[in-house]
Amino acid sequence: MSKLVIVESPTKVKSIKKYLGSDFNVVASMGHIRDLPKSKMGIDIEHGFKPQYLNMADKKELIAKLKDLAANSDTVYLATDPDREGEAISWHLAQILALDLNEANRVCFNEITESGIKAGMKEPQKINLNLVDAQQARRVLDRIVGYKLSPFLWKKVKSGLSAGRVQSLALKLVVDREREIEKFVSEEFWSVDAKLVASKKTFVAKFYGTADEKLEITNQAEAEKIVSDLSDATFTVAKIKKGVRNKQPAPPFTTSTLQQEAARKLGFTGQRTMRIAQQLYEGVDISGQGTTGLITYMRTDSLRISAEARAAGKKYILKNFSDKYLPKTDRYFKSKSGAQDAHEAIRPTNVFNTPDKIGESLTPEQRKLYKLIWERFIASLMSNCVQDTVAASFSAKDYIFKASGYSVRFDGFTALYEEGKDSDEADGVALPEMKEGDVLKLKELVPTQHFTQPPARYTEPTLIKFLDENGIGRPSTYAPIIANILQRSYIEREKKSLKPTNLGKTITDLIAENFKKIVDVKFTANMEQQLDKIGEGELSWTDTLENFYGDFAATLKKAEDKLTGTRVKVPAEETDVICEKCGRKMVVKSSRFGKFLACPGYPECKNTKPVPEDEIKEPCPKCGAKLVKRVSKKTGKKFYGCSNYPACDFAAPGLPTGDICKECGGYILKGIRGRKYCMNSDCPSRTKTTEKK
């Protein structure tokens, strides 16, 4: 009997075939095999929002092969990814291969391991049409919004722009935060710190006020008065409050928290994190084990873990730490309200595949992400960190100073892992031993001027956190949403922060003024809840779209009528760089080759130059002029070229280090991850490197 198993990714094929045996033929669909047309909306709004699905042109040969294999197989199993998208791909496969939807031929693998695959094959189900409807509803909804709103922006702003349902809201969040920052008025305030000595140790106590009330120091005169009043004061320990604090570990990762933590600790973008996680899930060739899936499915909002995984984790902790590092009762984390809970949390498939044990079989970025997932999971099963806390107040004349701190009584889970933070706030420091009534030595009083700070810009992890906590979009969509608004230059990165461009602000204002619901947090979250209810079989997907579209279409027509003949201009991004030819402040322009500075006096003044950040400190090794980063018009690839071009034709794919190759006398360049190599492709050193590989 021949059995055909169709998965999404070719990476899974080898692993699954190894566990299923020779009776099974395992092939990959390479993701979706049919979709909505690229050249038009492809939704028949008048007839129940019927989508027009087309076989993908580049999958023609693959589809023919799948049809042939299915026709010659006794049983066909659809083993696409275990989520809504995967359910929809299975449904499309069933349509193309003419499979019976009443047949139990849908199997799901939460992990690509022998036990995970055999468990999935043991319990085939029918394709869940409710999940298919939920995926279709999202796809059609986003298609309608995108195909109706984008042309509106083309007419009113400029061609080539795009708008999306969740994308537009994410952009508005970044724009709104930037405007909060722009409107923020900083206020002066002061602090006075007392450097005190107890038990021969110096620590800092902060000015609080008086015994009756907390006082704010608003200017230098007030700060100096306090310092003057205390010039001959005696500092006495007025009160000490000791306690014990139990610090609980963070739960294992969900899709959202994995992206946040990988951004904080590893500097990974959401897209990079999900790409690497997909590799770890699908399987990596591990020395002595073969191709092995290392983590469970990475698109999940659940904090649930299996009993088997919990038992394995506890066994590891007992073996490598001690029984003290296991809590007396097992710890269970509750998933957030509204979580689908279809899969476990993200965890290692085998806790004894430690990062050290299999690290050499992984790429550097795979090793980093796997270590993060592995440590977070094991730590989530460990005992609390127990801290002794102390809060002390000190009297000096009529004033009160305060200090707090802690010391670790038992490290617990922190012996392995601690969650990253979005801010630099400290938990306090260890204080020296002292008791009430002790008189302390004052070393110094330090008055310091401060200014209130505006709210921080969103970073990728804090924006993802907001979207996740407010039920906007799905965790699997956060990475592509942020990548899209970055790619379209609606926002830009400034160090780790996300800053809107003038184009992003213009688009946000236009949409917010005319399509309030599209960028309303509560409305978007409510739409997400309706999509979840469709997936649970509680709502009709066509009725849901009908309810949305009626109001949306009317709003669109009203906006078009209101702005007939109107064009919205995007202000240029002005810089402080002065045009040396005419004295104007230069502005930032963009082309398909990247950003550059241009004189706003064009066409009278046609001066252009690279943006300052693209100027390189290292001089041109050929003529000594400045180097600039450029983009090839032919290939689109970046390179470093001489600013003195065409007088000097130096160009290199990497940044010159200033060193000369000992083998051939060529220029040494610095490439990715700091790797140095000779610019001369025929250099013997390049040949040796290739041979080693």
Side-chain angles (χ1 to χ4, degrees), residues 375-417:
E375 289 183 347
R376 174 91 161 212
F377 172 70
I378 295 295
S380 73
L381 302 175
M382 296 174 71
S383 300
N384 291 344
C385 171
V386 182
Q387 299 172 345
D388 291 314
T389 62
V390 58
S393 60
F394 310 91
S395 61
K397 291 190 174 178
D398 295 329
Y399 297 120
I400 297 292
F401 285 71
K402 290 189 175 183
S404 62
Y406 73 92
S407 59
V408 175
R409 182 189 294 185
F410 175 64
D411 55 2
F413 73 92
T414 64
L416 180 65
Y417 172 90

Side-chain angles (χ1 to χ4, degrees), residues 428-490:
V429 294
L431 296 179
E433 282 295 323
M434 51 189 149
K435 60 183 185 295
E436 292 179 4
D438 282 356
V439 176
L440 307 182
K441 178 184 177 183
L442 172 66
K443 286 187 71 175
E444 185 181 11
L445 286 169
V446 183
T448 307
Q449 183 185 38
H450 306 273
F451 293 92
T452 53
Q453 296 298 308
R457 286 189 179 122
Y458 280 109
T459 60
E460 190 160 335
T462 58
L463 182 56
I464 288 173
K465 185 177 181 181
F466 182 93
L467 295 172
D468 185 46
E469 289 180 345
N470 288 273
I472 300 166
R474 298 304 309 163
S476 59
T477 66
Y478 299 152
I481 286 169
I482 295 173
N484 191 35
I485 55 179
L486 278 165
Q487 184 182 8
R488 293 187 175 276
S489 297
Y490 299 163

Side-chain angles (χ1 to χ4, degrees), residues 17 67 82 123 230-231 252 316-317 373 441 460 497 557 571 590 602 634 651 681:
K17 199 163 188 176
K67 284 183 175 180
E123 297 183 7
L230 296 174
S231 60
Y316 178 88
I317 294 165
I373 294 168
K441 178 184 177 183
E460 190 160 335
S497 300
K557 186 178 186 309
S590 296
Y602 183 88
K634 290 183 179 179
S681 58

Side-chain angles (χ1 to χ4, degrees), residues 546-567:
E546 189 72 54
N547 292 335
F548 168 82
Y549 186 73
D551 182 58
F552 175 72
T555 303
L556 179 62
K557 186 178 186 309
K558 182 179 178 182
E560 288 176 333
D561 292 344
K562 172 185 170 184
L563 297 172
T564 299
T566 303
R567 294 284 289 183

Side-chain angles (χ1 to χ4, degrees), residues 192-196 203-207 235 401 442 444-446:
V192 175
D193 291 346
K195 290 186 178 180
L196 303 172
F203 67 98
V204 173
K206 295 184 175 297
F207 177 81
F235 279 76
F401 285 71
L442 172 66
E444 185 181 11
L445 286 169
V446 183

Side-chain angles (χ1 to χ4, degrees), residues 567-631:
R567 294 284 289 183
V568 179
K569 290 186 178 181
V570 181
E573 304 271 357
E574 190 177 80
T575 72
D576 293 326
V577 179
I578 304 299
C579 174
E580 65 271 20
K581 294 185 178 180
C582 69
R584 296 181 176 93
K585 284 188 174 182
M586 301 191 82
V587 296
V588 178
K589 296 277 187 177
S590 296
S591 73
R592 62 192 182 98
F593 305 113
K595 290 185 177 182
F596 63 95
L597 294 183
C599 181
Y602 183 88
E604 292 85 9
C605 180
K606 299 179 180 179
N607 188 24
T608 64
K609 59 171 64 179
V611 293
E613 62 232 35
D614 280 344
E615 295 182 1
I616 311 302
K617 292 181 180 179
E618 287 78 2
C620 171
K622 197 169 183 180
C623 73
K626 283 188 175 181
L627 286 175
V628 292
K629 194 182 290 184
R630 300 189 186 280
V631 179

